[in-house]
Amino acid sequence: MSAMITMGSDGILHVPDDPVIPFIQGDGTGIDIWPAAQSVLDAAAARHGRSIAWKEVLAGQRAYDETGEWLPQETVDAFREHLIGIKGPLTTPVGGGIRSLNVALRQILDLYVCLRPVRWFSGVPSPVKHPEKVDVVIFRENTEDIYAGLEVEQGTAEAKRLIELLHDEMGWTIRTDSGVGIKPVSVTGSKRLVRAALDYAVARGRKSVTLVHKGNIQKYTEGAFRNWGYELTREEFSDVAVGWDDCGGDPGDRVLVKDAIADITLQQVLTRPEDFDVIATTNLNGDYLSDAVAAQVGGIGIAPGGNINYVSGHGIFEATHGTAPKYAGQDKVNPGSVLLSGVMMFEHLGWTDAADGIVRALEATIADGIVTYDFARLMDDATEVKCSEFASAIVDRL
Ligand code: NAP
């Protein structure tokens, strides 16, 4: 009998050794990468006396073909009930209906943190000289900013009305042939995001949290995000963290909370990545930053991600790349992104021994020159293997 993961009244996840975990295989290359990743996750769990009762649920193209719905209610219910799940990439329906299935799942379960740890794994080909200096964990706000989806289309009656209202009530002049988007950033949304980043930094012994914003221009959204981050540090974390201005840049043994403007941050993560540890940021900044930083350590083929609500306990871990349809069913692409999402999931469940084991085995596999096509084309003397063979090689090295 397998058991359920539950959220305790202490705000801590209670994880049995044999949890039920729902998964979405994913469209396109999901058919290749999911079984490969699952075999590694199962083998690593078993080595530490644990097992996962995988529960398949549907979403995306396959769900649409089999049920007529892109995101069946049963799938949402399974993630809601079992708290933690994992998914491969999904085809985004074109035209009408759901804007993006990933966004829909995040909104329905209020998964307010998009967590993107970015670090270099020994041996992975990289475009920079010192990829080992990159070890950044990005907390990107997931529910506000442009992702709130509050937009009106140019030329519509709604756009005309909004432009007139803003003119009459606020005195704003907006060209009449504009589309208009609204960017909400709240105290609630900002503080719970920064709280999650600070909790993480404290628990993992990280040195700093950088609040990345564009507050020099957007004062009441981006600038406010920064101010609320510092305010929260003083209100709730003063024994374990301190803002730059409150310590003159010398935090002692506390976590240093500092801030940086988004445009210069995109330069500095490249020129001095060692200055960045944990990053907390608004949605759009986080979108650009996570891909830019991931490129330094071997690209999006292996970048993992998680969407988490630390209060309710819900979390969905996911491959960050898309379905790469041209490679679907060829047993060719790199399963690293969904596999490392599984590693994040294990860490989140407290299964750090199994998670560390996978990372070590992955690095040993790459060190032996055994890689999929995407790395092989960037490495000298590599042995190119199929997706499933790469997974087997990792299992052999666990
Ligand atoms: P994509 O599927 O991410 O593919 C773009 C390129 O990234 C591929 O051609 C390939 O590069 C590389 N790539 C992707 N997955 C890889 C893997 N596992 N291993 C190695 N290389 C990999 O992006 P797209 O073609 O723009 O999008 C296709 C579909 O995916 C769309 O329907 C889109 O909406 C959806 N999508 C879903 C998600 C999600 O579910 N999270 C995210 C993004 C996009 P090379 O050709 O250079 O080998």
Side-chain angles (χ1 to χ4, degrees), residues 146-180:
I146 59 151
Y147 258 60
L150 305 175
E151 285 191 314
V152 287
E153 189 181 354
Q154 185 274 130
T156 60
E158 289 84 6
K160 184 168 180 286
R161 242 175 94 200
L162 185 58
I163 290 169
E164 282 170 6
L165 178 84
L166 292 172
H167 180 267
D168 296 346
E169 298 291 327
M170 312 293 290
W172 296 354
T173 303
I174 297 173
R175 284 192 194 100
T176 51
D177 60 348
S178 301
V180 182

Short mmCIF file of all heavy atoms in Angstrom, two decimals, residues 146-180:
data_model
loop_
_atom_site.label_atom_id
_atom_site.label_comp_id
_atom_site.label_asym_id
_atom_site.label_seq_id
_atom_site.Cartn_x
_atom_site.Cartn_y
_atom_site.Cartn_z
N ILE A 146 3.22 40.52 -15.59
CA ILE A 146 2.56 40.26 -16.87
C ILE A 146 1.86 38.90 -16.93
O ILE A 146 1.02 38.68 -17.78
CB ILE A 146 3.53 40.37 -18.06
CG1 ILE A 146 4.68 39.38 -17.88
CG2 ILE A 146 4.04 41.78 -18.25
CD1 ILE A 146 5.23 38.92 -19.20
N TYR A 147 2.22 37.98 -16.04
CA TYR A 147 1.58 36.66 -16.08
C TYR A 147 0.14 36.69 -15.60
O TYR A 147 -0.59 35.72 -15.72
CB TYR A 147 2.37 35.65 -15.28
CG TYR A 147 3.20 34.77 -16.15
CD1 TYR A 147 4.16 35.31 -16.98
CD2 TYR A 147 3.01 33.39 -16.18
CE1 TYR A 147 4.93 34.52 -17.79
CE2 TYR A 147 3.77 32.59 -16.99
CZ TYR A 147 4.74 33.15 -17.80
OH TYR A 147 5.50 32.36 -18.61
N ALA A 148 -0.29 37.81 -14.99
CA ALA A 148 -1.69 37.91 -14.59
C ALA A 148 -2.57 37.93 -15.84
O ALA A 148 -3.78 37.71 -15.77
CB ALA A 148 -1.89 39.15 -13.75
N GLY A 149 -1.97 38.19 -16.99
CA GLY A 149 -2.70 38.10 -18.26
C GLY A 149 -3.76 39.18 -18.44
O GLY A 149 -4.74 38.97 -19.16
N LEU A 150 -3.57 40.33 -17.79
CA LEU A 150 -4.56 41.40 -17.90
C LEU A 150 -4.21 42.29 -19.10
O LEU A 150 -3.47 43.26 -18.99
CB LEU A 150 -4.59 42.22 -16.60
CG LEU A 150 -4.83 41.39 -15.33
CD1 LEU A 150 -4.72 42.25 -14.09
CD2 LEU A 150 -6.22 40.74 -15.39
N GLU A 151 -4.74 41.93 -20.25
CA GLU A 151 -4.40 42.65 -21.49
C GLU A 151 -5.64 42.87 -22.33
O GLU A 151 -6.53 42.01 -22.34
CB GLU A 151 -3.45 41.80 -22.33
CG GLU A 151 -2.04 41.74 -21.85
CD GLU A 151 -1.15 41.09 -22.90
OE1 GLU A 151 -1.54 40.04 -23.45
OE2 GLU A 151 -0.08 41.64 -23.18
N VAL A 152 -5.70 43.99 -23.00
CA VAL A 152 -6.76 44.17 -23.99
C VAL A 152 -6.12 44.41 -25.36
O VAL A 152 -5.06 45.03 -25.47
CB VAL A 152 -7.71 45.34 -23.63
CG1 VAL A 152 -8.62 44.96 -22.48
CG2 VAL A 152 -6.93 46.61 -23.31
N GLU A 153 -6.79 43.88 -26.37
CA GLU A 153 -6.22 43.90 -27.72
C GLU A 153 -6.48 45.22 -28.42
O GLU A 153 -7.59 45.79 -28.29
CB GLU A 153 -6.86 42.75 -28.52
CG GLU A 153 -6.21 42.51 -29.85
CD GLU A 153 -6.90 41.36 -30.63
OE1 GLU A 153 -7.80 40.71 -30.05
OE2 GLU A 153 -6.54 41.17 -31.79
N GLN A 154 -5.49 45.68 -29.12
CA GLN A 154 -5.60 46.91 -29.90
C GLN A 154 -6.83 46.86 -30.82
O GLN A 154 -7.14 45.83 -31.40
CB GLN A 154 -4.31 47.06 -30.75
CG GLN A 154 -4.20 48.33 -31.54
CD GLN A 154 -4.89 48.24 -32.92
OE1 GLN A 154 -5.68 49.12 -33.25
NE2 GLN A 154 -4.63 47.20 -33.67
N GLY A 155 -7.55 47.96 -30.87
CA GLY A 155 -8.66 48.06 -31.83
C GLY A 155 -9.98 47.54 -31.29
O GLY A 155 -11.02 47.68 -31.95
N THR A 156 -9.99 46.92 -30.11
CA THR A 156 -11.25 46.38 -29.59
C THR A 156 -11.99 47.44 -28.77
O THR A 156 -11.41 48.45 -28.35
CB THR A 156 -10.99 45.16 -28.66
OG1 THR A 156 -10.17 45.59 -27.57
CG2 THR A 156 -10.30 44.04 -29.40
N ALA A 157 -13.27 47.16 -28.52
CA ALA A 157 -14.08 48.08 -27.72
C ALA A 157 -13.51 48.18 -26.30
O ALA A 157 -13.51 49.26 -25.70
CB ALA A 157 -15.53 47.57 -27.67
N GLU A 158 -12.98 47.05 -25.78
CA GLU A 158 -12.40 47.06 -24.43
C GLU A 158 -11.20 48.00 -24.35
O GLU A 158 -11.04 48.76 -23.40
CB GLU A 158 -11.95 45.66 -24.01
CG GLU A 158 -13.05 44.67 -23.73
CD GLU A 158 -13.58 44.01 -24.99
OE1 GLU A 158 -12.99 44.23 -26.09
OE2 GLU A 158 -14.58 43.28 -24.90
N ALA A 159 -10.35 47.92 -25.39
CA ALA A 159 -9.16 48.77 -25.39
C ALA A 159 -9.58 50.24 -25.45
O ALA A 159 -9.04 51.09 -24.73
CB ALA A 159 -8.27 48.41 -26.58
N LYS A 160 -10.56 50.53 -26.29
CA LYS A 160 -11.04 51.92 -26.43
C LYS A 160 -11.56 52.42 -25.09
O LYS A 160 -11.21 53.52 -24.64
CB LYS A 160 -12.15 51.94 -27.51
CG LYS A 160 -12.67 53.31 -27.85
CD LYS A 160 -13.54 53.23 -29.12
CE LYS A 160 -14.10 54.58 -29.50
NZ LYS A 160 -15.18 55.04 -28.63
N ARG A 161 -12.37 51.57 -24.43
CA ARG A 161 -12.95 51.98 -23.14
C ARG A 161 -11.89 52.23 -22.08
O ARG A 161 -11.95 53.19 -21.33
CB ARG A 161 -13.89 50.86 -22.65
CG ARG A 161 -15.32 51.34 -22.52
CD ARG A 161 -16.22 50.20 -22.15
NE ARG A 161 -16.42 50.11 -20.72
CZ ARG A 161 -16.84 49.02 -20.09
NH1 ARG A 161 -17.07 47.92 -20.77
NH2 ARG A 161 -17.02 49.02 -18.80
N LEU A 162 -10.92 51.32 -22.05
CA LEU A 162 -9.87 51.44 -21.03
C LEU A 162 -9.02 52.70 -21.28
O LEU A 162 -8.70 53.45 -20.36
CB LEU A 162 -8.98 50.19 -21.04
CG LEU A 162 -7.92 50.10 -19.95
CD1 LEU A 162 -8.54 50.17 -18.55
CD2 LEU A 162 -7.11 48.81 -20.09
N ILE A 163 -8.70 52.94 -22.54
CA ILE A 163 -7.88 54.11 -22.87
C ILE A 163 -8.64 55.39 -22.51
O ILE A 163 -8.07 56.34 -21.95
CB ILE A 163 -7.49 54.08 -24.37
CG1 ILE A 163 -6.48 52.94 -24.60
CG2 ILE A 163 -6.92 55.42 -24.83
CD1 ILE A 163 -6.20 52.61 -26.05
N GLU A 164 -9.95 55.40 -22.78
CA GLU A 164 -10.76 56.58 -22.44
C GLU A 164 -10.85 56.76 -20.93
O GLU A 164 -10.72 57.87 -20.41
CB GLU A 164 -12.17 56.43 -23.03
CG GLU A 164 -12.20 56.73 -24.53
CD GLU A 164 -13.54 56.35 -25.20
OE1 GLU A 164 -14.48 55.95 -24.48
OE2 GLU A 164 -13.58 56.44 -26.43
N LEU A 165 -11.07 55.66 -20.23
CA LEU A 165 -11.17 55.72 -18.77
C LEU A 165 -9.87 56.27 -18.16
O LEU A 165 -9.89 57.15 -17.29
CB LEU A 165 -11.44 54.31 -18.21
CG LEU A 165 -11.53 54.23 -16.69
CD1 LEU A 165 -12.94 54.60 -16.24
CD2 LEU A 165 -11.19 52.84 -16.18
N LEU A 166 -8.74 55.76 -18.66
CA LEU A 166 -7.46 56.20 -18.12
C LEU A 166 -7.21 57.67 -18.45
O LEU A 166 -6.61 58.40 -17.66
CB LEU A 166 -6.33 55.32 -18.66
CG LEU A 166 -6.37 53.87 -18.15
CD1 LEU A 166 -5.34 52.99 -18.88
CD2 LEU A 166 -6.11 53.80 -16.65
N HIS A 167 -7.73 58.10 -19.58
CA HIS A 167 -7.61 59.51 -19.94
C HIS A 167 -8.47 60.37 -19.03
O HIS A 167 -8.02 61.35 -18.42
CB HIS A 167 -8.00 59.72 -21.41
CG HIS A 167 -7.89 61.15 -21.82
ND1 HIS A 167 -8.97 62.04 -21.77
CD2 HIS A 167 -6.82 61.88 -22.24
CE1 HIS A 167 -8.56 63.24 -22.14
NE2 HIS A 167 -7.27 63.18 -22.44
N ASP A 168 -9.73 59.95 -18.86
CA ASP A 168 -10.68 60.78 -18.11
C ASP A 168 -10.37 60.78 -16.60
O ASP A 168 -10.45 61.82 -15.95
CB ASP A 168 -12.12 60.26 -18.32
CG ASP A 168 -12.53 60.39 -19.78
OD1 ASP A 168 -11.82 61.12 -20.52
OD2 ASP A 168 -13.52 59.75 -20.19
N GLU A 169 -10.02 59.61 -16.08
CA GLU A 169 -9.85 59.51 -14.63
C GLU A 169 -8.43 59.83 -14.16
O GLU A 169 -8.23 60.33 -13.07
CB GLU A 169 -10.20 58.08 -14.17
CG GLU A 169 -11.64 57.68 -14.43
CD GLU A 169 -12.63 58.44 -13.55
OE1 GLU A 169 -12.26 58.76 -12.41
OE2 GLU A 169 -13.74 58.73 -14.03
N MET A 170 -7.45 59.47 -14.99
CA MET A 170 -6.06 59.63 -14.54
C MET A 170 -5.31 60.73 -15.29
O MET A 170 -4.18 61.05 -14.94
CB MET A 170 -5.29 58.30 -14.75
CG MET A 170 -5.99 57.05 -14.26
SD MET A 170 -6.15 57.00 -12.47
CE MET A 170 -4.45 56.76 -11.96
N GLY A 171 -5.91 61.19 -16.39
CA GLY A 171 -5.24 62.20 -17.20
C GLY A 171 -4.10 61.62 -18.04
O GLY A 171 -3.19 62.32 -18.45
N TRP A 172 -4.14 60.29 -18.29
CA TRP A 172 -3.07 59.65 -19.05
C TRP A 172 -3.39 59.69 -20.54
O TRP A 172 -4.52 59.40 -20.94
CB TRP A 172 -2.91 58.18 -18.64
CG TRP A 172 -2.47 57.99 -17.21
CD1 TRP A 172 -2.11 58.96 -16.33
CD2 TRP A 172 -2.38 56.75 -16.51
NE1 TRP A 172 -1.78 58.42 -15.12
CE2 TRP A 172 -1.94 57.05 -15.19
CE3 TRP A 172 -2.62 55.42 -16.85
CZ2 TRP A 172 -1.73 56.07 -14.23
CZ3 TRP A 172 -2.42 54.44 -15.89
CH2 TRP A 172 -1.97 54.77 -14.60
N THR A 173 -2.39 60.01 -21.35
CA THR A 173 -2.60 59.99 -22.79
C THR A 173 -1.96 58.73 -23.37
O THR A 173 -0.74 58.54 -23.28
CB THR A 173 -1.95 61.23 -23.43
OG1 THR A 173 -2.53 62.38 -22.81
CG2 THR A 173 -2.21 61.27 -24.93
N ILE A 174 -2.81 57.87 -23.90
CA ILE A 174 -2.31 56.63 -24.52
C ILE A 174 -2.79 56.63 -25.97
O ILE A 174 -3.96 56.92 -26.23
CB ILE A 174 -2.87 55.39 -23.78
CG1 ILE A 174 -2.35 55.39 -22.33
CG2 ILE A 174 -2.49 54.11 -24.50
CD1 ILE A 174 -2.97 54.31 -21.46
N ARG A 175 -1.89 56.35 -26.90
CA ARG A 175 -2.29 56.35 -28.32
C ARG A 175 -3.51 55.45 -28.52
O ARG A 175 -3.56 54.34 -27.98
CB ARG A 175 -1.16 55.83 -29.19
CG ARG A 175 -0.08 56.83 -29.40
CD ARG A 175 0.88 56.39 -30.52
NE ARG A 175 2.06 57.22 -30.44
CZ ARG A 175 3.21 56.84 -29.88
NH1 ARG A 175 3.36 55.63 -29.43
NH2 ARG A 175 4.22 57.69 -29.82
N THR A 176 -4.45 55.92 -29.31
CA THR A 176 -5.71 55.18 -29.45
C THR A 176 -5.53 53.85 -30.19
O THR A 176 -6.37 52.97 -30.09
CB THR A 176 -6.75 56.02 -30.20
OG1 THR A 176 -6.14 56.51 -31.40
CG2 THR A 176 -7.24 57.19 -29.36
N ASP A 177 -4.42 53.71 -30.91
CA ASP A 177 -4.20 52.41 -31.59
C ASP A 177 -3.28 51.50 -30.77
O ASP A 177 -2.50 50.73 -31.33
CB ASP A 177 -3.65 52.64 -33.01
CG ASP A 177 -2.32 53.37 -33.00
OD1 ASP A 177 -1.92 53.91 -31.94
OD2 ASP A 177 -1.65 53.39 -34.06
N SER A 178 -3.41 51.57 -29.45
CA SER A 178 -2.57 50.73 -28.57
C SER A 178 -3.32 49.50 -28.07
O SER A 178 -4.52 49.57 -27.83
CB SER A 178 -2.15 51.53 -27.32
OG SER A 178 -1.44 52.69 -27.65
N GLY A 179 -2.57 48.43 -27.86
CA GLY A 179 -3.03 47.36 -26.98
C GLY A 179 -2.56 47.79 -25.59
O GLY A 179 -1.56 48.49 -25.47
N VAL A 180 -3.26 47.35 -24.54
CA VAL A 180 -2.87 47.79 -23.20
C VAL A 180 -2.79 46.59 -22.26
O VAL A 180 -3.70 45.75 -22.24
CB VAL A 180 -3.87 48.82 -22.62
CG1 VAL A 180 -3.42 49.30 -21.24
CG2 VAL A 180 -4.02 50.01 -23.57
#
